[in-house]
Amino acid sequence: MTFERWLVLQKLYNDYASSLDDGPLSDWPDFFTEKCLYLIQPRDNYDAGLPMAVVRCESRGMLQDRVNAVQETIMFEPRYLRHHITNIEADDASSDEFQVRANYSVIEVLNDDLPRILSAGRYLDTVVLENGLLRFKEKRVIYDSVLVPNSLIYPL
Amino acid sequence: MGEISSINWPAGDFTRVPYRLYTDADVFEREMERIFQGSTWAYVGLESELAETWDYLTTQIGNRSVVVTRDDKGELHAFANRCAHRGVKVCRQQRGNSRFFICPYHQWSYDAEGRLRGVPFIKGVGGKGGMPDDFSQDDNALPRLKVAARNGVIFASFSEDVEDLEDYLGETNLQYFDRVFDGRGLKVLGYSRQLIPGNWKLMFENIKDPYHASLLHVFLVTFGLFRADQESRVAMDDTGRHALLISRKGEQKVSASISDIKNLKEDLVLADPRLLDPVKEFPDDATVVMQTIWPNLIVQQQSNTLALRQIRPRNAGSFELHWTFFGYEDDSDEMQTRRLRQANLMSSAGFVSADDSEVIKMAQDGVRQYADDAGLLLLDGRGTKDTPHMVTEVALRAFYKHYRKVMGL
Ligand code: FES
Ligand SMILES: [Fe+2]
C-alpha cells in the first residue's frame, strides 16, 4: 500500500468513526454507494460460511431504514459509543476500487454501568472512488466478540 | 440446597409474581435442579448440525454444559460435559467432528456415548503408581442424558422418567411444532448470541406476553406485523408450561380500537421495501406464531424468519440467548435471501428483538432494587385458559401456575 493511499484511508475511517460517534446518524448512509452490502456478522458464522448476519443492508435505502428504526422505533437505553479503528491495510490493485481490512473495537458507555467493549473484530471492506469521494461498496463487520453484551443498537 | 424462606406468595394466586423470583440465588438453584435437571425436555440442537458420523456440538441445559453427538450407527447421544476425574469441561468447541473426547488435563478419553475409554498410566509407569485394582472405567462414564428427536429437532433430558416428547408437548403444541418442523430438511443459516443481564424467566415471559408486543414493538405495530386489533389467539397445553401466540398480519393504519398506542408511526415508510417482503409459506393464514416450549426453547415464525431461541441461564441475573436461524433445504435462493433480510428484525440488533433485550435489562434493574414487591398479571382477568385474542396475560398466569407446582412455592 502506498503512503498516499494509507493516508486517504486513514482519513476515511476517521471520518466514519467520528460520524458514528458524534452524529448525526443520518450521515451514515452517505458513506456507502447506492447499491452496497453492509453486514454485521458474528465470526463463527463467517468462518463456517453461514450467511446469517445480525444486520444486513443491501442498499443505501436499507441503511436509511436502519437509521429510521434507531431514531423512531427501537426502544433502548441511552448510550455513547466510541469507535477505534486501527491496522488499516489495503491492496494496490486499482485506483478506483480496492479491498481494505482494518481492526475495530467499540467502547460503549451506558448511564449506570461501567464502560465496556461492546464489539471487537475486523472490517473487510471494498472501497470505491465515486465522483471524487471514497465510499464503501461493501462493508463486512466480522465481530470476534460473538457473545454480544445485550444489544447492538447503533451501527459498527 | 438453600431454603427459600423469603418469598411471600399467597397460595393459588397467579396474578402476582414476587420480584424475588428474578433475583434470588436459592430460587435459581432450585430452578436448575427441579426444572432444568428435572422431568423436562430441553432443546439441544438440530439433526442437520450433526449430519455426519462423529459430529458433535456443545450446548447448555440450564447452567450445565452438555455434549450432543452422533455415532457411527446414526444414533444421537448426550452427556454431561465434565470430566469424571477432576471436573474439567472436556469439550471446549461449539461444534466439530471427533470420535473421542480427550480431557486436556490428564487425557482421559471418552467416546461418543460418554464412556470412559482410556486412562493414561492406568497400570502405572515401570511398576510404579497406577490406579487401584478396583478402579473401573465402566463406572466412570460421563452421566448420560435421555435424547429424543422429532422432525430434525433434538431434545435431551437429565431425567430418566420424563414422558414421551409428544405427550410432553401436548396435542396443540405438537401440531404447531409440526407446522414449522414438517419433516423437510432444515438448513441452518447461522447463529447469533447475546448475554442479556436479566433473569431467564423474563425472556420466557416476554414471548408469552402479547400485551407488550402490540405496544413496545413500534416497528411491528407500525408495519402492521403484530397488532392488538388483528385476528389472533393464545393457546396452551394442559399444564400451562408451553404456549402459542398465533396472529395474522394487519394493515398500517390507525383504528379507533388501537388509539391507546402512543408510538404508532403512521407515516413511516421503508426506503427499501425488500426488507419486508413476506410471502405466505404455510397452509394456514397465521403470519406470526411464537411458541414457548418449557423450559428453554422459543420457536419463532415471524413472517419468513424462522428461528430457535435457546435460553441458557447463567445465574439469577443473566442468561445467554442463543439464536439459530434456519430455513428449509428446498428453499429457493430468493427465499433464503428473504429470510436473511427479515432477520434484521431479530436478535441482538433486531428492529423488534432489541426492544426486548433492552426492556429485559430494565426489568431486572427494577426488580433487583425492589425485590420485596410483586408484579401484576391481571390483564384479561385471573384465568389460565386459552384465549381467542391478544389483549391478555393468560399465558403468563398459566406459566406461573405450572412453575409454582414444579418449584413447590
Ligand atoms: S480432569 Fe480430566 S483427565 Fe484429569
Ligand atoms: Fe417482544
Side-chain angles (χ1 to χ4, degrees), chain A residues 45 51-52 56 58-59 65-66 72 75 77 79 113 146 148 150-152, chain B residues 189 191 193-195 265 271-272 341 344 348-349 351 355 357-358 361:
Chain A
N45 288 353
M52 163 65 199
R56 177 189 192 88
E58 297 172 30
S59 65
D65 289 329
R66 193 153 273 276
E72 311 232 17
M75 190 288 302
E77 264 195 288
R79 65 200 59 206
D113 294 292
V146 290
V148 172
N150 215 22
S151 329
L152 289 172
Chain B
L189 300 179
Y191 306 92
R193 301 171 63 193
Q194 304 171 257
L195 187 63
K265 306 282 180 197
D272 190 336
R341 284 180 187 144
N344 275 301
S348 53
F351 296 150
D355 295 334
S357 44
E358 287 294 297
K361 174 178 189 281

PDB file of all heavy atoms in Angstrom, chain A residues 45 51-52 56 58-59 65-66 72 75 77 79 113 146 148 150-152, chain B residues 189 191 193-195 265 271-272 341 344 348-349 351 355 357-358 361:
ATOM      1  N   ASN A  45     -20.191 -17.507  12.293  1.00  0.00           N
ATOM      2  CA  ASN A  45     -20.928 -17.661  11.040  1.00  0.00           C
ATOM      3  C   ASN A  45     -20.010 -17.451   9.840  1.00  0.00           C
ATOM      4  O   ASN A  45     -20.042 -18.207   8.866  1.00  0.00           O
ATOM      5  CB  ASN A  45     -22.073 -16.646  10.947  1.00  0.00           C
ATOM      6  CG  ASN A  45     -23.216 -16.982  11.890  1.00  0.00           C
ATOM      7  OD1 ASN A  45     -23.227 -18.032  12.515  1.00  0.00           O
ATOM      8  ND2 ASN A  45     -24.167 -16.077  12.004  1.00  0.00           N
ATOM      9  N   PRO A  51     -24.520 -17.722   6.121  1.00  0.00           N
ATOM     10  CA  PRO A  51     -24.820 -16.376   5.632  1.00  0.00           C
ATOM     11  C   PRO A  51     -25.472 -15.422   6.627  1.00  0.00           C
ATOM     12  O   PRO A  51     -25.482 -14.218   6.409  1.00  0.00           O
ATOM     13  CB  PRO A  51     -25.806 -16.646   4.483  1.00  0.00           C
ATOM     14  CG  PRO A  51     -26.472 -17.931   4.852  1.00  0.00           C
ATOM     15  CD  PRO A  51     -25.439 -18.737   5.574  1.00  0.00           C
ATOM     16  N   MET A  52     -25.984 -15.961   7.750  1.00  0.00           N
ATOM     17  CA  MET A  52     -26.747 -15.122   8.663  1.00  0.00           C
ATOM     18  C   MET A  52     -25.908 -13.976   9.242  1.00  0.00           C
ATOM     19  O   MET A  52     -24.815 -14.195   9.764  1.00  0.00           O
ATOM     20  CB  MET A  52     -27.293 -16.021   9.777  1.00  0.00           C
ATOM     21  CG  MET A  52     -27.759 -15.324  11.021  1.00  0.00           C
ATOM     22  SD  MET A  52     -29.178 -14.249  10.763  1.00  0.00           S
ATOM     23  CE  MET A  52     -29.015 -13.236  12.232  1.00  0.00           C
ATOM     24  N   ARG A  56     -28.145  -6.652   8.068  1.00  0.00           N
ATOM     25  CA  ARG A  56     -27.908  -6.882   6.651  1.00  0.00           C
ATOM     26  C   ARG A  56     -28.588  -5.775   5.865  1.00  0.00           C
ATOM     27  O   ARG A  56     -29.809  -5.653   5.861  1.00  0.00           O
ATOM     28  CB  ARG A  56     -28.503  -8.238   6.264  1.00  0.00           C
ATOM     29  CG  ARG A  56     -28.368  -8.559   4.789  1.00  0.00           C
ATOM     30  CD  ARG A  56     -29.154  -9.810   4.421  1.00  0.00           C
ATOM     31  NE  ARG A  56     -28.768 -10.223   3.090  1.00  0.00           N
ATOM     32  CZ  ARG A  56     -27.747 -11.024   2.831  1.00  0.00           C
ATOM     33  NH1 ARG A  56     -27.039 -11.531   3.803  1.00  0.00           N
ATOM     34  NH2 ARG A  56     -27.443 -11.326   1.593  1.00  0.00           N
ATOM     35  N   GLU A  58     -28.689  -4.038   1.993  1.00  0.00           N
ATOM     36  CA  GLU A  58     -28.256  -4.286   0.618  1.00  0.00           C
ATOM     37  C   GLU A  58     -28.363  -3.048  -0.256  1.00  0.00           C
ATOM     38  O   GLU A  58     -28.232  -3.131  -1.463  1.00  0.00           O
ATOM     39  CB  GLU A  58     -29.094  -5.423   0.025  1.00  0.00           C
ATOM     40  CG  GLU A  58     -28.897  -6.735   0.751  1.00  0.00           C
ATOM     41  CD  GLU A  58     -29.877  -7.807   0.286  1.00  0.00           C
ATOM     42  OE1 GLU A  58     -30.294  -7.770  -0.894  1.00  0.00           O
ATOM     43  OE2 GLU A  58     -30.233  -8.660   1.110  1.00  0.00           O
ATOM     44  N   SER A  59     -28.629  -1.912   0.354  1.00  0.00           N
ATOM     45  CA  SER A  59     -28.732  -0.669  -0.414  1.00  0.00           C
ATOM     46  C   SER A  59     -28.645   0.490   0.571  1.00  0.00           C
ATOM     47  O   SER A  59     -28.799   0.299   1.782  1.00  0.00           O
ATOM     48  CB  SER A  59     -30.080  -0.585  -1.142  1.00  0.00           C
ATOM     49  OG  SER A  59     -31.133  -0.507  -0.181  1.00  0.00           O
ATOM     50  N   ASP A  65     -33.268   2.808   6.339  1.00  0.00           N
ATOM     51  CA  ASP A  65     -34.311   2.172   7.159  1.00  0.00           C
ATOM     52  C   ASP A  65     -33.790   1.860   8.560  1.00  0.00           C
ATOM     53  O   ASP A  65     -34.515   1.943   9.540  1.00  0.00           O
ATOM     54  CB  ASP A  65     -34.806   0.893   6.484  1.00  0.00           C
ATOM     55  CG  ASP A  65     -35.635   1.202   5.238  1.00  0.00           C
ATOM     56  OD1 ASP A  65     -36.300   2.260   5.210  1.00  0.00           O
ATOM     57  OD2 ASP A  65     -35.608   0.390   4.286  1.00  0.00           O
ATOM     58  N   ARG A  66     -32.508   1.494   8.643  1.00  0.00           N
ATOM     59  CA  ARG A  66     -31.928   1.225   9.961  1.00  0.00           C
ATOM     60  C   ARG A  66     -31.801   2.528  10.762  1.00  0.00           C
ATOM     61  O   ARG A  66     -32.107   2.563  11.951  1.00  0.00           O
ATOM     62  CB  ARG A  66     -30.581   0.494   9.843  1.00  0.00           C
ATOM     63  CG  ARG A  66     -30.110  -0.062  11.154  1.00  0.00           C
ATOM     64  CD  ARG A  66     -29.223  -1.269  11.019  1.00  0.00           C
ATOM     65  NE  ARG A  66     -29.942  -2.536  10.946  1.00  0.00           N
ATOM     66  CZ  ARG A  66     -30.361  -3.229  12.008  1.00  0.00           C
ATOM     67  NH1 ARG A  66     -30.184  -2.777  13.234  1.00  0.00           N
ATOM     68  NH2 ARG A  66     -30.984  -4.383  11.848  1.00  0.00           N
ATOM     69  N   GLU A  72     -36.560   6.263  15.379  1.00  0.00           N
ATOM     70  CA  GLU A  72     -38.007   6.372  15.577  1.00  0.00           C
ATOM     71  C   GLU A  72     -38.681   5.172  16.231  1.00  0.00           C
ATOM     72  O   GLU A  72     -39.717   5.334  16.846  1.00  0.00           O
ATOM     73  CB  GLU A  72     -38.702   6.588  14.216  1.00  0.00           C
ATOM     74  CG  GLU A  72     -38.045   7.687  13.415  1.00  0.00           C
ATOM     75  CD  GLU A  72     -39.060   8.710  12.957  1.00  0.00           C
ATOM     76  OE1 GLU A  72     -40.165   8.741  13.520  1.00  0.00           O
ATOM     77  OE2 GLU A  72     -38.718   9.454  12.027  1.00  0.00           O
ATOM     78  N   MET A  75     -36.751   0.906  21.054  1.00  0.00           N
ATOM     79  CA  MET A  75     -36.695   1.451  22.417  1.00  0.00           C
ATOM     80  C   MET A  75     -35.390   0.965  23.038  1.00  0.00           C
ATOM     81  O   MET A  75     -35.134  -0.237  23.081  1.00  0.00           O
ATOM     82  CB  MET A  75     -37.901   0.921  23.202  1.00  0.00           C
ATOM     83  CG  MET A  75     -38.151   1.553  24.556  1.00  0.00           C
ATOM     84  SD  MET A  75     -37.005   1.120  25.860  1.00  0.00           S
ATOM     85  CE  MET A  75     -37.184  -0.660  25.911  1.00  0.00           C
ATOM     86  N   GLU A  77     -31.956   1.992  25.998  1.00  0.00           N
ATOM     87  CA  GLU A  77     -31.327   2.859  26.994  1.00  0.00           C
ATOM     88  C   GLU A  77     -30.356   3.792  26.288  1.00  0.00           C
ATOM     89  O   GLU A  77     -29.614   3.359  25.406  1.00  0.00           O
ATOM     90  CB  GLU A  77     -30.478   1.995  27.941  1.00  0.00           C
ATOM     91  CG  GLU A  77     -31.147   1.605  29.212  1.00  0.00           C
ATOM     92  CD  GLU A  77     -30.118   1.074  30.216  1.00  0.00           C
ATOM     93  OE1 GLU A  77     -29.619  -0.034  29.991  1.00  0.00           O
ATOM     94  OE2 GLU A  77     -29.848   1.776  31.207  1.00  0.00           O
ATOM     95  N   ARG A  79     -27.067   5.701  25.295  1.00  0.00           N
ATOM     96  CA  ARG A  79     -25.683   5.208  25.349  1.00  0.00           C
ATOM     97  C   ARG A  79     -24.787   6.048  24.468  1.00  0.00           C
ATOM     98  O   ARG A  79     -25.252   6.712  23.557  1.00  0.00           O
ATOM     99  CB  ARG A  79     -25.621   3.749  24.889  1.00  0.00           C
ATOM    100  CG  ARG A  79     -26.000   3.566  23.423  1.00  0.00           C
ATOM    101  CD  ARG A  79     -26.412   2.133  23.125  1.00  0.00           C
ATOM    102  NE  ARG A  79     -27.554   1.740  23.936  1.00  0.00           N
ATOM    103  CZ  ARG A  79     -27.840   0.498  24.286  1.00  0.00           C
ATOM    104  NH1 ARG A  79     -27.098  -0.492  23.875  1.00  0.00           N
ATOM    105  NH2 ARG A  79     -28.880   0.235  25.039  1.00  0.00           N
ATOM    106  N   ASP A 113     -23.686   2.000  34.146  1.00  0.00           N
ATOM    107  CA  ASP A 113     -22.761   0.878  34.092  1.00  0.00           C
ATOM    108  C   ASP A 113     -21.359   1.389  33.770  1.00  0.00           C
ATOM    109  O   ASP A 113     -21.204   2.476  33.216  1.00  0.00           O
ATOM    110  CB  ASP A 113     -23.193  -0.115  33.002  1.00  0.00           C
ATOM    111  CG  ASP A 113     -24.516  -0.776  33.317  1.00  0.00           C
ATOM    112  OD1 ASP A 113     -24.561  -1.555  34.270  1.00  0.00           O
ATOM    113  OD2 ASP A 113     -25.512  -0.487  32.620  1.00  0.00           O
ATOM    114  N   VAL A 146     -18.371 -12.788  19.930  1.00  0.00           N
ATOM    115  CA  VAL A 146     -19.633 -13.371  19.464  1.00  0.00           C
ATOM    116  C   VAL A 146     -20.762 -13.293  20.493  1.00  0.00           C
ATOM    117  O   VAL A 146     -21.933 -13.292  20.124  1.00  0.00           O
ATOM    118  CB  VAL A 146     -19.450 -14.830  18.990  1.00  0.00           C
ATOM    119  CG1 VAL A 146     -18.666 -14.862  17.700  1.00  0.00           C
ATOM    120  CG2 VAL A 146     -18.777 -15.676  20.051  1.00  0.00           C
ATOM    121  N   VAL A 148     -22.719 -11.101  22.418  1.00  0.00           N
ATOM    122  CA  VAL A 148     -22.955  -9.654  22.432  1.00  0.00           C
ATOM    123  C   VAL A 148     -23.486  -9.230  23.799  1.00  0.00           C
ATOM    124  O   VAL A 148     -24.444  -9.830  24.301  1.00  0.00           O
ATOM    125  CB  VAL A 148     -23.988  -9.286  21.338  1.00  0.00           C
ATOM    126  CG1 VAL A 148     -24.403  -7.820  21.441  1.00  0.00           C
ATOM    127  CG2 VAL A 148     -23.416  -9.577  19.962  1.00  0.00           C
ATOM    128  N   ASN A 150     -25.799  -7.772  25.605  1.00  0.00           N
ATOM    129  CA  ASN A 150     -27.163  -7.301  25.407  1.00  0.00           C
ATOM    130  C   ASN A 150     -27.489  -6.910  23.963  1.00  0.00           C
ATOM    131  O   ASN A 150     -27.732  -7.781  23.158  1.00  0.00           O
ATOM    132  CB  ASN A 150     -27.513  -6.188  26.396  1.00  0.00           C
ATOM    133  CG  ASN A 150     -28.964  -6.262  26.827  1.00  0.00           C
ATOM    134  OD1 ASN A 150     -29.578  -7.328  26.721  1.00  0.00           O
ATOM    135  ND2 ASN A 150     -29.534  -5.181  27.288  1.00  0.00           N
ATOM    136  N   SER A 151     -27.472  -5.649  23.621  1.00  0.00           N
ATOM    137  CA  SER A 151     -27.997  -5.254  22.304  1.00  0.00           C
ATOM    138  C   SER A 151     -26.985  -4.442  21.497  1.00  0.00           C
ATOM    139  O   SER A 151     -26.167  -3.730  22.056  1.00  0.00           O
ATOM    140  CB  SER A 151     -29.240  -4.371  22.468  1.00  0.00           C
ATOM    141  OG  SER A 151     -29.958  -4.695  23.629  1.00  0.00           O
ATOM    142  N   LEU A 152     -27.108  -4.552  20.181  1.00  0.00           N
ATOM    143  CA  LEU A 152     -26.371  -3.678  19.262  1.00  0.00           C
ATOM    144  C   LEU A 152     -27.384  -2.706  18.669  1.00  0.00           C
ATOM    145  O   LEU A 152     -28.228  -3.120  17.875  1.00  0.00           O
ATOM    146  CB  LEU A 152     -25.763  -4.485  18.122  1.00  0.00           C
ATOM    147  CG  LEU A 152     -24.585  -5.407  18.399  1.00  0.00           C
ATOM    148  CD1 LEU A 152     -24.297  -6.255  17.158  1.00  0.00           C
ATOM    149  CD2 LEU A 152     -23.353  -4.595  18.758  1.00  0.00           C
TER     150      LEU A 152
ATOM    151  N   LEU B 189     -28.950 -21.314   8.853  1.00  0.00           N
ATOM    152  CA  LEU B 189     -28.429 -20.113   8.175  1.00  0.00           C
ATOM    153  C   LEU B 189     -27.386 -19.405   9.026  1.00  0.00           C
ATOM    154  O   LEU B 189     -26.619 -18.589   8.507  1.00  0.00           O
ATOM    155  CB  LEU B 189     -29.573 -19.158   7.859  1.00  0.00           C
ATOM    156  CG  LEU B 189     -30.674 -19.721   6.951  1.00  0.00           C
ATOM    157  CD1 LEU B 189     -31.777 -18.699   6.733  1.00  0.00           C
ATOM    158  CD2 LEU B 189     -30.092 -20.146   5.607  1.00  0.00           C
ATOM    159  N   TYR B 191     -25.972 -18.334  13.404  1.00  0.00           N
ATOM    160  CA  TYR B 191     -26.236 -18.177  14.829  1.00  0.00           C
ATOM    161  C   TYR B 191     -26.058 -16.732  15.257  1.00  0.00           C
ATOM    162  O   TYR B 191     -25.393 -15.941  14.588  1.00  0.00           O
ATOM    163  CB  TYR B 191     -25.265 -19.044  15.633  1.00  0.00           C
ATOM    164  CG  TYR B 191     -25.276 -20.483  15.210  1.00  0.00           C
ATOM    165  CD1 TYR B 191     -24.386 -20.958  14.238  1.00  0.00           C
ATOM    166  CD2 TYR B 191     -26.205 -21.366  15.732  1.00  0.00           C
ATOM    167  CE1 TYR B 191     -24.406 -22.288  13.823  1.00  0.00           C
ATOM    168  CE2 TYR B 191     -26.242 -22.688  15.332  1.00  0.00           C
ATOM    169  CZ  TYR B 191     -25.340 -23.147  14.376  1.00  0.00           C
ATOM    170  OH  TYR B 191     -25.370 -24.459  13.972  1.00  0.00           O
ATOM    171  N   ARG B 193     -25.653 -14.727  19.255  1.00  0.00           N
ATOM    172  CA  ARG B 193     -25.650 -14.957  20.707  1.00  0.00           C
ATOM    173  C   ARG B 193     -25.649 -13.619  21.444  1.00  0.00           C
ATOM    174  O   ARG B 193     -24.939 -12.698  21.053  1.00  0.00           O
ATOM    175  CB  ARG B 193     -24.420 -15.776  21.114  1.00  0.00           C
ATOM    176  CG  ARG B 193     -24.338 -17.119  20.426  1.00  0.00           C
ATOM    177  CD  ARG B 193     -22.993 -17.801  20.692  1.00  0.00           C
ATOM    178  NE  ARG B 193     -22.806 -18.097  22.106  1.00  0.00           N
ATOM    179  CZ  ARG B 193     -21.631 -18.453  22.643  1.00  0.00           C
ATOM    180  NH1 ARG B 193     -20.563 -18.556  21.889  1.00  0.00           N
ATOM    181  NH2 ARG B 193     -21.538 -18.692  23.930  1.00  0.00           N
ATOM    182  N   GLN B 194     -26.431 -13.564  22.510  1.00  0.00           N
ATOM    183  CA  GLN B 194     -26.481 -12.359  23.347  1.00  0.00           C
ATOM    184  C   GLN B 194     -26.384 -12.764  24.799  1.00  0.00           C
ATOM    185  O   GLN B 194     -26.947 -13.783  25.196  1.00  0.00           O
ATOM    186  CB  GLN B 194     -27.838 -11.645  23.215  1.00  0.00           C
ATOM    187  CG  GLN B 194     -28.271 -11.247  21.855  1.00  0.00           C
ATOM    188  CD  GLN B 194     -29.707 -10.753  21.883  1.00  0.00           C
ATOM    189  OE1 GLN B 194     -30.595 -11.481  21.483  1.00  0.00           O
ATOM    190  NE2 GLN B 194     -29.950  -9.540  22.347  1.00  0.00           N
ATOM    191  N   LEU B 195     -25.713 -11.960  25.596  1.00  0.00           N
ATOM    192  CA  LEU B 195     -25.736 -12.146  27.042  1.00  0.00           C
ATOM    193  C   LEU B 195     -26.636 -11.049  27.607  1.00  0.00           C
ATOM    194  O   LEU B 195     -26.286  -9.869  27.571  1.00  0.00           O
ATOM    195  CB  LEU B 195     -24.325 -12.049  27.622  1.00  0.00           C
ATOM    196  CG  LEU B 195     -24.228 -12.408  29.102  1.00  0.00           C
ATOM    197  CD1 LEU B 195     -24.613 -13.862  29.348  1.00  0.00           C
ATOM    198  CD2 LEU B 195     -22.807 -12.168  29.616  1.00  0.00           C
ATOM    199  N   LYS B 265     -46.125   5.035  14.318  1.00  0.00           N
ATOM    200  CA  LYS B 265     -45.554   5.969  13.324  1.00  0.00           C
ATOM    201  C   LYS B 265     -46.287   5.740  12.011  1.00  0.00           C
ATOM    202  O   LYS B 265     -45.848   4.975  11.160  1.00  0.00           O
ATOM    203  CB  LYS B 265     -44.057   5.697  13.131  1.00  0.00           C
ATOM    204  CG  LYS B 265     -43.259   5.712  14.402  1.00  0.00           C
ATOM    205  CD  LYS B 265     -42.975   7.123  14.873  1.00  0.00           C
ATOM    206  CE  LYS B 265     -42.169   7.021  16.150  1.00  0.00           C
ATOM    207  NZ  LYS B 265     -42.117   8.207  16.940  1.00  0.00           N
ATOM    208  N   ALA B 271     -37.565   2.763   3.064  1.00  0.00           N
ATOM    209  CA  ALA B 271     -36.840   3.269   1.898  1.00  0.00           C
ATOM    210  C   ALA B 271     -36.538   2.123   0.934  1.00  0.00           C
ATOM    211  O   ALA B 271     -36.481   2.313  -0.275  1.00  0.00           O
ATOM    212  CB  ALA B 271     -35.549   3.954   2.335  1.00  0.00           C
ATOM    213  N   ASP B 272     -36.327   0.941   1.491  1.00  0.00           N
ATOM    214  CA  ASP B 272     -36.134  -0.243   0.637  1.00  0.00           C
ATOM    215  C   ASP B 272     -37.102  -1.328   1.087  1.00  0.00           C
ATOM    216  O   ASP B 272     -36.855  -2.056   2.045  1.00  0.00           O
ATOM    217  CB  ASP B 272     -34.687  -0.744   0.739  1.00  0.00           C
ATOM    218  CG  ASP B 272     -34.378  -1.807  -0.309  1.00  0.00           C
ATOM    219  OD1 ASP B 272     -35.332  -2.469  -0.775  1.00  0.00           O
ATOM    220  OD2 ASP B 272     -33.197  -1.965  -0.646  1.00  0.00           O
ATOM    221  N   ARG B 341     -32.950 -11.181   4.991  1.00  0.00           N
ATOM    222  CA  ARG B 341     -33.326  -9.763   5.111  1.00  0.00           C
ATOM    223  C   ARG B 341     -34.249  -9.548   6.294  1.00  0.00           C
ATOM    224  O   ARG B 341     -34.069  -8.611   7.071  1.00  0.00           O
ATOM    225  CB  ARG B 341     -34.036  -9.307   3.831  1.00  0.00           C
ATOM    226  CG  ARG B 341     -33.098  -9.086   2.677  1.00  0.00           C
ATOM    227  CD  ARG B 341     -33.890  -8.632   1.453  1.00  0.00           C
ATOM    228  NE  ARG B 341     -33.025  -8.568   0.289  1.00  0.00           N
ATOM    229  CZ  ARG B 341     -33.418  -8.889  -0.946  1.00  0.00           C
ATOM    230  NH1 ARG B 341     -34.661  -9.301  -1.180  1.00  0.00           N
ATOM    231  NH2 ARG B 341     -32.574  -8.794  -1.940  1.00  0.00           N
ATOM    232  N   ASN B 344     -33.193  -8.971   9.955  1.00  0.00           N
ATOM    233  CA  ASN B 344     -32.908  -7.641  10.503  1.00  0.00           C
ATOM    234  C   ASN B 344     -33.838  -7.283  11.672  1.00  0.00           C
ATOM    235  O   ASN B 344     -33.537  -6.380  12.451  1.00  0.00           O
ATOM    236  CB  ASN B 344     -33.076  -6.562   9.428  1.00  0.00           C
ATOM    237  CG  ASN B 344     -31.826  -6.386   8.579  1.00  0.00           C
ATOM    238  OD1 ASN B 344     -30.757  -6.074   9.082  1.00  0.00           O
ATOM    239  ND2 ASN B 344     -31.974  -6.610   7.280  1.00  0.00           N
ATOM    240  N   SER B 348     -29.747  -9.626  18.436  1.00  0.00           N
ATOM    241  CA  SER B 348     -29.156  -8.522  19.206  1.00  0.00           C
ATOM    242  C   SER B 348     -29.362  -7.153  18.580  1.00  0.00           C
ATOM    243  O   SER B 348     -29.464  -6.151  19.290  1.00  0.00           O
ATOM    244  CB  SER B 348     -27.669  -8.771  19.413  1.00  0.00           C
ATOM    245  OG  SER B 348     -27.045  -9.018  18.175  1.00  0.00           O
ATOM    246  N   ALA B 349     -29.414  -7.077  17.248  1.00  0.00           N
ATOM    247  CA  ALA B 349     -29.561  -5.780  16.580  1.00  0.00           C
ATOM    248  C   ALA B 349     -30.935  -5.653  15.917  1.00  0.00           C
ATOM    249  O   ALA B 349     -31.128  -4.827  15.036  1.00  0.00           O
ATOM    250  CB  ALA B 349     -28.454  -5.591  15.548  1.00  0.00           C
ATOM    251  N   PHE B 351     -34.711  -4.916  14.827  1.00  0.00           N
ATOM    252  CA  PHE B 351     -35.660  -3.804  14.935  1.00  0.00           C
ATOM    253  C   PHE B 351     -36.742  -4.101  15.975  1.00  0.00           C
ATOM    254  O   PHE B 351     -37.353  -3.201  16.525  1.00  0.00           O
ATOM    255  CB  PHE B 351     -36.346  -3.544  13.583  1.00  0.00           C
ATOM    256  CG  PHE B 351     -35.410  -3.088  12.496  1.00  0.00           C
ATOM    257  CD1 PHE B 351     -35.664  -3.397  11.169  1.00  0.00           C
ATOM    258  CD2 PHE B 351     -34.291  -2.335  12.803  1.00  0.00           C
ATOM    259  CE1 PHE B 351     -34.808  -2.965  10.173  1.00  0.00           C
ATOM    260  CE2 PHE B 351     -33.431  -1.903  11.806  1.00  0.00           C
ATOM    261  CZ  PHE B 351     -33.681  -2.226  10.491  1.00  0.00           C
ATOM    262  N   ASP B 355     -35.690  -4.245  21.252  1.00  0.00           N
ATOM    263  CA  ASP B 355     -36.625  -3.710  22.252  1.00  0.00           C
ATOM    264  C   ASP B 355     -36.704  -4.643  23.456  1.00  0.00           C
ATOM    265  O   ASP B 355     -36.765  -4.198  24.606  1.00  0.00           O
ATOM    266  CB  ASP B 355     -38.055  -3.619  21.685  1.00  0.00           C
ATOM    267  CG  ASP B 355     -38.214  -2.640  20.536  1.00  0.00           C
ATOM    268  OD1 ASP B 355     -37.421  -1.688  20.453  1.00  0.00           O
ATOM    269  OD2 ASP B 355     -39.150  -2.839  19.734  1.00  0.00           O
ATOM    270  N   SER B 357     -34.494  -7.167  24.485  1.00  0.00           N
ATOM    271  CA  SER B 357     -33.290  -7.294  25.320  1.00  0.00           C
ATOM    272  C   SER B 357     -33.102  -6.037  26.162  1.00  0.00           C
ATOM    273  O   SER B 357     -32.683  -6.108  27.319  1.00  0.00           O
ATOM    274  CB  SER B 357     -32.042  -7.606  24.485  1.00  0.00           C
ATOM    275  OG  SER B 357     -31.968  -6.830  23.325  1.00  0.00           O
ATOM    276  N   GLU B 358     -33.428  -4.881  25.584  1.00  0.00           N
ATOM    277  CA  GLU B 358     -33.315  -3.641  26.352  1.00  0.00           C
ATOM    278  C   GLU B 358     -34.307  -3.611  27.512  1.00  0.00           C
ATOM    279  O   GLU B 358     -33.965  -3.258  28.633  1.00  0.00           O
ATOM    280  CB  GLU B 358     -33.546  -2.434  25.435  1.00  0.00           C
ATOM    281  CG  GLU B 358     -32.394  -2.162  24.481  1.00  0.00           C
ATOM    282  CD  GLU B 358     -31.119  -1.742  25.199  1.00  0.00           C
ATOM    283  OE1 GLU B 358     -31.127  -0.694  25.858  1.00  0.00           O
ATOM    284  OE2 GLU B 358     -30.124  -2.485  25.106  1.00  0.00           O
ATOM    285  N   LYS B 361     -33.401  -5.943  30.438  1.00  0.00           N
ATOM    286  CA  LYS B 361     -32.397  -5.349  31.332  1.00  0.00           C
ATOM    287  C   LYS B 361     -33.055  -4.342  32.280  1.00  0.00           C
ATOM    288  O   LYS B 361     -32.787  -4.330  33.479  1.00  0.00           O
ATOM    289  CB  LYS B 361     -31.296  -4.661  30.527  1.00  0.00           C
ATOM    290  CG  LYS B 361     -30.317  -3.898  31.430  1.00  0.00           C
ATOM    291  CD  LYS B 361     -29.187  -3.245  30.655  1.00  0.00           C
ATOM    292  CE  LYS B 361     -28.107  -2.682  31.568  1.00  0.00           C
ATOM    293  NZ  LYS B 361     -28.442  -1.390  32.169  1.00  0.00           N
TER     294      LYS B 361
END
